[in-house]
Amino acid sequence: MNKAVGAFITFEGGEGSGKTTQIHLLKERLKSAGRDVITTREPGGTPEAEKIRDFLVQREGGNWSPMAEALLLFAGRTMHVDNLIKPAIAAGKIVISDRFADSTRAYQGFGHGLGLEKIDEMNRLCLGDFAPDMTFILDIPAEKGLLRAEKRLREAGSGEDRFERLDLSFHERLRQGYLEIARSNPGRCIVINADDVPESIAAVIGRHTQERIADVR
Ligand SMILES: Nc1ncnc2c1ncn2[C@@H]1O[C@H](COP(=O)(O)OP(=O)(O)O)[C@@H](O)[C@H]1O
Ligand SMILES: [Mg+2]
């Protein structure tokens, strides 16, 4: 039997676009196909990067400038890639990350106005040419996504609400930023209409994954 080939898949999109929901569904699908799957998230994914996450996402975590925020995010990301993501891919696993470098492009680059050039420079410095094999960008009108995210926050009572509390125009910029990232990276990014029922979205994502990644049936 051939050794399974590892892969790295990332999910991107605003709050409430359905990333966590769809990652769970794709993981189950891939596991049913006999693949070894691990899921992870950013910011975070390793003990050190989870500490950086705490600074960034808690209400009282501090008032970071977009540049400082981006540097902290990439500091966590380098260790996440070296210590967790690359070894898992090398072991033939499919790694699915809830957010990755495109989130820094969209949030700090577009949303907070740092610009793409600086982020791409950090990306080159920290990750070289390492990038996801495929990225699903879950696209939904900002207003609808925020309504979903608010519902989830009410249900879960999570303290991680710093990014969600940003206003609607920010989330619209974010959405346009993601669409721009997808246009610039057509070989890697797939924009998914996330304004649909979860099962239909999962079917589309499953089909794309099957087309791109060997051994997935
Ligand atoms: N396709 C969908 N239609 C309606 N509600 C959804 C859909 N996908 C997810 N939700 C709900 O919306 C909220 C946010 O979804 P979630 O997957 O946590 O989004 P994200 O991880 O992108 O913030 C959750 O309460 C979830 O159950
Ligand atoms: Mg989520």
Side-chain angles (χ1 to χ4, degrees), residues 82-100:
D82 289 345
N83 297 352
L84 187 136
I85 298 171
K86 280 184 175 171
I89 297 170
K93 294 177 185 171
I94 295 179
V95 181
I96 308 177
S97 187
D98 193 330
R99 299 192 176 282
F100 193 64

PDB file of all heavy atoms in Angstrom, residues 82-100:
ATOM      1  N   ASP A  82       6.688  24.850  12.498  1.00  0.00           N
ATOM      2  CA  ASP A  82       7.858  23.983  12.692  1.00  0.00           C
ATOM      3  C   ASP A  82       7.573  22.805  13.626  1.00  0.00           C
ATOM      4  O   ASP A  82       8.036  21.691  13.384  1.00  0.00           O
ATOM      5  CB  ASP A  82       9.032  24.792  13.267  1.00  0.00           C
ATOM      6  CG  ASP A  82       9.610  25.750  12.230  1.00  0.00           C
ATOM      7  OD1 ASP A  82       9.309  25.577  11.032  1.00  0.00           O
ATOM      8  OD2 ASP A  82      10.352  26.668  12.619  1.00  0.00           O
ATOM      9  N   ASN A  83       6.825  23.066  14.692  1.00  0.00           N
ATOM     10  CA  ASN A  83       6.671  22.034  15.724  1.00  0.00           C
ATOM     11  C   ASN A  83       5.476  21.120  15.509  1.00  0.00           C
ATOM     12  O   ASN A  83       5.466  19.994  15.993  1.00  0.00           O
ATOM     13  CB  ASN A  83       6.536  22.675  17.109  1.00  0.00           C
ATOM     14  CG  ASN A  83       7.787  23.456  17.492  1.00  0.00           C
ATOM     15  OD1 ASN A  83       8.799  23.386  16.792  1.00  0.00           O
ATOM     16  ND2 ASN A  83       7.715  24.199  18.572  1.00  0.00           N
ATOM     17  N   LEU A  84       4.464  21.616  14.825  1.00  0.00           N
ATOM     18  CA  LEU A  84       3.255  20.798  14.687  1.00  0.00           C
ATOM     19  C   LEU A  84       2.890  20.504  13.229  1.00  0.00           C
ATOM     20  O   LEU A  84       2.742  19.352  12.838  1.00  0.00           O
ATOM     21  CB  LEU A  84       2.087  21.492  15.406  1.00  0.00           C
ATOM     22  CG  LEU A  84       0.804  20.668  15.498  1.00  0.00           C
ATOM     23  CD1 LEU A  84       0.196  20.775  16.885  1.00  0.00           C
ATOM     24  CD2 LEU A  84      -0.222  21.105  14.468  1.00  0.00           C
ATOM     25  N   ILE A  85       2.774  21.562  12.418  1.00  0.00           N
ATOM     26  CA  ILE A  85       2.197  21.366  11.085  1.00  0.00           C
ATOM     27  C   ILE A  85       3.136  20.558  10.173  1.00  0.00           C
ATOM     28  O   ILE A  85       2.728  19.542   9.594  1.00  0.00           O
ATOM     29  CB  ILE A  85       1.822  22.730  10.444  1.00  0.00           C
ATOM     30  CG1 ILE A  85       0.750  23.420  11.314  1.00  0.00           C
ATOM     31  CG2 ILE A  85       1.330  22.549   9.011  1.00  0.00           C
ATOM     32  CD1 ILE A  85       0.439  24.852  10.916  1.00  0.00           C
ATOM     33  N   LYS A  86       4.399  21.001  10.057  1.00  0.00           N
ATOM     34  CA  LYS A  86       5.308  20.293   9.143  1.00  0.00           C
ATOM     35  C   LYS A  86       5.550  18.833   9.547  1.00  0.00           C
ATOM     36  O   LYS A  86       5.508  17.950   8.681  1.00  0.00           O
ATOM     37  CB  LYS A  86       6.633  21.046   9.027  1.00  0.00           C
ATOM     38  CG  LYS A  86       6.563  22.236   8.079  1.00  0.00           C
ATOM     39  CD  LYS A  86       7.939  22.877   7.925  1.00  0.00           C
ATOM     40  CE  LYS A  86       7.911  23.998   6.888  1.00  0.00           C
ATOM     41  NZ  LYS A  86       9.176  24.770   6.894  1.00  0.00           N
ATOM     42  N   PRO A  87       5.798  18.544  10.843  1.00  0.00           N
ATOM     43  CA  PRO A  87       5.994  17.134  11.216  1.00  0.00           C
ATOM     44  C   PRO A  87       4.769  16.273  10.895  1.00  0.00           C
ATOM     45  O   PRO A  87       4.916  15.128  10.456  1.00  0.00           O
ATOM     46  CB  PRO A  87       6.245  17.197  12.733  1.00  0.00           C
ATOM     47  CG  PRO A  87       6.760  18.577  12.982  1.00  0.00           C
ATOM     48  CD  PRO A  87       6.076  19.458  11.972  1.00  0.00           C
ATOM     49  N   ALA A  88       3.563  16.829  11.091  1.00  0.00           N
ATOM     50  CA  ALA A  88       2.349  16.046  10.822  1.00  0.00           C
ATOM     51  C   ALA A  88       2.200  15.768   9.327  1.00  0.00           C
ATOM     52  O   ALA A  88       1.862  14.647   8.922  1.00  0.00           O
ATOM     53  CB  ALA A  88       1.119  16.779  11.353  1.00  0.00           C
ATOM     54  N   ILE A  89       2.484  16.770   8.498  1.00  0.00           N
ATOM     55  CA  ILE A  89       2.403  16.562   7.046  1.00  0.00           C
ATOM     56  C   ILE A  89       3.420  15.498   6.631  1.00  0.00           C
ATOM     57  O   ILE A  89       3.116  14.593   5.844  1.00  0.00           O
ATOM     58  CB  ILE A  89       2.673  17.875   6.275  1.00  0.00           C
ATOM     59  CG1 ILE A  89       1.600  18.919   6.597  1.00  0.00           C
ATOM     60  CG2 ILE A  89       2.714  17.618   4.764  1.00  0.00           C
ATOM     61  CD1 ILE A  89       1.929  20.313   6.078  1.00  0.00           C
ATOM     62  N   ALA A  90       4.643  15.602   7.195  1.00  0.00           N
ATOM     63  CA  ALA A  90       5.700  14.640   6.847  1.00  0.00           C
ATOM     64  C   ALA A  90       5.310  13.219   7.247  1.00  0.00           C
ATOM     65  O   ALA A  90       5.746  12.247   6.628  1.00  0.00           O
ATOM     66  CB  ALA A  90       7.010  15.046   7.523  1.00  0.00           C
ATOM     67  N   ALA A  91       4.462  13.106   8.278  1.00  0.00           N
ATOM     68  CA  ALA A  91       4.009  11.783   8.723  1.00  0.00           C
ATOM     69  C   ALA A  91       2.788  11.313   7.927  1.00  0.00           C
ATOM     70  O   ALA A  91       2.164  10.304   8.274  1.00  0.00           O
ATOM     71  CB  ALA A  91       3.690  11.832  10.218  1.00  0.00           C
ATOM     72  N   GLY A  92       2.424  12.037   6.878  1.00  0.00           N
ATOM     73  CA  GLY A  92       1.330  11.607   6.008  1.00  0.00           C
ATOM     74  C   GLY A  92      -0.046  12.044   6.464  1.00  0.00           C
ATOM     75  O   GLY A  92      -1.058  11.561   5.959  1.00  0.00           O
ATOM     76  N   LYS A  93      -0.102  12.948   7.444  1.00  0.00           N
ATOM     77  CA  LYS A  93      -1.409  13.370   7.953  1.00  0.00           C
ATOM     78  C   LYS A  93      -1.966  14.548   7.155  1.00  0.00           C
ATOM     79  O   LYS A  93      -1.217  15.310   6.557  1.00  0.00           O
ATOM     80  CB  LYS A  93      -1.292  13.792   9.418  1.00  0.00           C
ATOM     81  CG  LYS A  93      -0.940  12.620  10.314  1.00  0.00           C
ATOM     82  CD  LYS A  93      -0.743  13.045  11.741  1.00  0.00           C
ATOM     83  CE  LYS A  93      -0.263  11.824  12.534  1.00  0.00           C
ATOM     84  NZ  LYS A  93       0.161  12.133  13.864  1.00  0.00           N
ATOM     85  N   ILE A  94      -3.285  14.688   7.219  1.00  0.00           N
ATOM     86  CA  ILE A  94      -3.917  15.890   6.687  1.00  0.00           C
ATOM     87  C   ILE A  94      -4.121  16.830   7.873  1.00  0.00           C
ATOM     88  O   ILE A  94      -4.768  16.473   8.861  1.00  0.00           O
ATOM     89  CB  ILE A  94      -5.255  15.579   6.002  1.00  0.00           C
ATOM     90  CG1 ILE A  94      -5.011  14.701   4.762  1.00  0.00           C
ATOM     91  CG2 ILE A  94      -5.958  16.885   5.597  1.00  0.00           C
ATOM     92  CD1 ILE A  94      -6.277  14.305   4.021  1.00  0.00           C
ATOM     93  N   VAL A  95      -3.522  18.002   7.784  1.00  0.00           N
ATOM     94  CA  VAL A  95      -3.638  19.001   8.851  1.00  0.00           C
ATOM     95  C   VAL A  95      -4.651  20.047   8.407  1.00  0.00           C
ATOM     96  O   VAL A  95      -4.529  20.604   7.306  1.00  0.00           O
ATOM     97  CB  VAL A  95      -2.277  19.685   9.119  1.00  0.00           C
ATOM     98  CG1 VAL A  95      -2.407  20.699  10.251  1.00  0.00           C
ATOM     99  CG2 VAL A  95      -1.203  18.652   9.438  1.00  0.00           C
ATOM    100  N   ILE A  96      -5.654  20.284   9.243  1.00  0.00           N
ATOM    101  CA  ILE A  96      -6.643  21.331   8.934  1.00  0.00           C
ATOM    102  C   ILE A  96      -6.517  22.415   9.995  1.00  0.00           C
ATOM    103  O   ILE A  96      -6.667  22.142  11.188  1.00  0.00           O
ATOM    104  CB  ILE A  96      -8.084  20.791   8.947  1.00  0.00           C
ATOM    105  CG1 ILE A  96      -8.218  19.550   8.054  1.00  0.00           C
ATOM    106  CG2 ILE A  96      -9.061  21.881   8.493  1.00  0.00           C
ATOM    107  CD1 ILE A  96      -9.622  18.925   8.079  1.00  0.00           C
ATOM    108  N   SER A  97      -6.242  23.636   9.565  1.00  0.00           N
ATOM    109  CA  SER A  97      -6.117  24.735  10.529  1.00  0.00           C
ATOM    110  C   SER A  97      -7.266  25.730  10.404  1.00  0.00           C
ATOM    111  O   SER A  97      -7.627  26.149   9.300  1.00  0.00           O
ATOM    112  CB  SER A  97      -4.774  25.461  10.369  1.00  0.00           C
ATOM    113  OG  SER A  97      -4.610  26.406  11.417  1.00  0.00           O
ATOM    114  N   ASP A  98      -7.846  26.061  11.551  1.00  0.00           N
ATOM    115  CA  ASP A  98      -8.883  27.073  11.671  1.00  0.00           C
ATOM    116  C   ASP A  98      -8.158  28.420  11.724  1.00  0.00           C
ATOM    117  O   ASP A  98      -7.639  28.797  12.757  1.00  0.00           O
ATOM    118  CB  ASP A  98      -9.654  26.802  12.978  1.00  0.00           C
ATOM    119  CG  ASP A  98     -10.955  27.573  13.080  1.00  0.00           C
ATOM    120  OD1 ASP A  98     -11.039  28.670  12.511  1.00  0.00           O
ATOM    121  OD2 ASP A  98     -11.871  27.075  13.762  1.00  0.00           O
ATOM    122  N   ARG A  99      -8.035  29.059  10.570  1.00  0.00           N
ATOM    123  CA  ARG A  99      -7.257  30.282  10.323  1.00  0.00           C
ATOM    124  C   ARG A  99      -5.767  29.985  10.169  1.00  0.00           C
ATOM    125  O   ARG A  99      -5.238  29.056  10.764  1.00  0.00           O
ATOM    126  CB  ARG A  99      -7.423  31.345  11.426  1.00  0.00           C
ATOM    127  CG  ARG A  99      -8.844  31.838  11.609  1.00  0.00           C
ATOM    128  CD  ARG A  99      -8.836  33.080  12.501  1.00  0.00           C
ATOM    129  NE  ARG A  99     -10.157  33.664  12.655  1.00  0.00           N
ATOM    130  CZ  ARG A  99     -10.749  34.417  11.746  1.00  0.00           C
ATOM    131  NH1 ARG A  99     -10.161  34.661  10.600  1.00  0.00           N
ATOM    132  NH2 ARG A  99     -11.948  34.913  11.946  1.00  0.00           N
ATOM    133  N   PHE A 100      -5.099  30.829   9.365  1.00  0.00           N
ATOM    134  CA  PHE A 100      -3.646  30.778   9.183  1.00  0.00           C
ATOM    135  C   PHE A 100      -3.198  32.148   8.671  1.00  0.00           C
ATOM    136  O   PHE A 100      -3.842  33.167   8.989  1.00  0.00           O
ATOM    137  CB  PHE A 100      -3.286  29.619   8.219  1.00  0.00           C
ATOM    138  CG  PHE A 100      -1.831  29.268   8.189  1.00  0.00           C
ATOM    139  CD1 PHE A 100      -1.198  28.766   9.315  1.00  0.00           C
ATOM    140  CD2 PHE A 100      -1.063  29.458   7.039  1.00  0.00           C
ATOM    141  CE1 PHE A 100       0.164  28.459   9.297  1.00  0.00           C
ATOM    142  CE2 PHE A 100       0.284  29.144   7.004  1.00  0.00           C
ATOM    143  CZ  PHE A 100       0.899  28.646   8.136  1.00  0.00           C
TER     144      PHE A 100
END
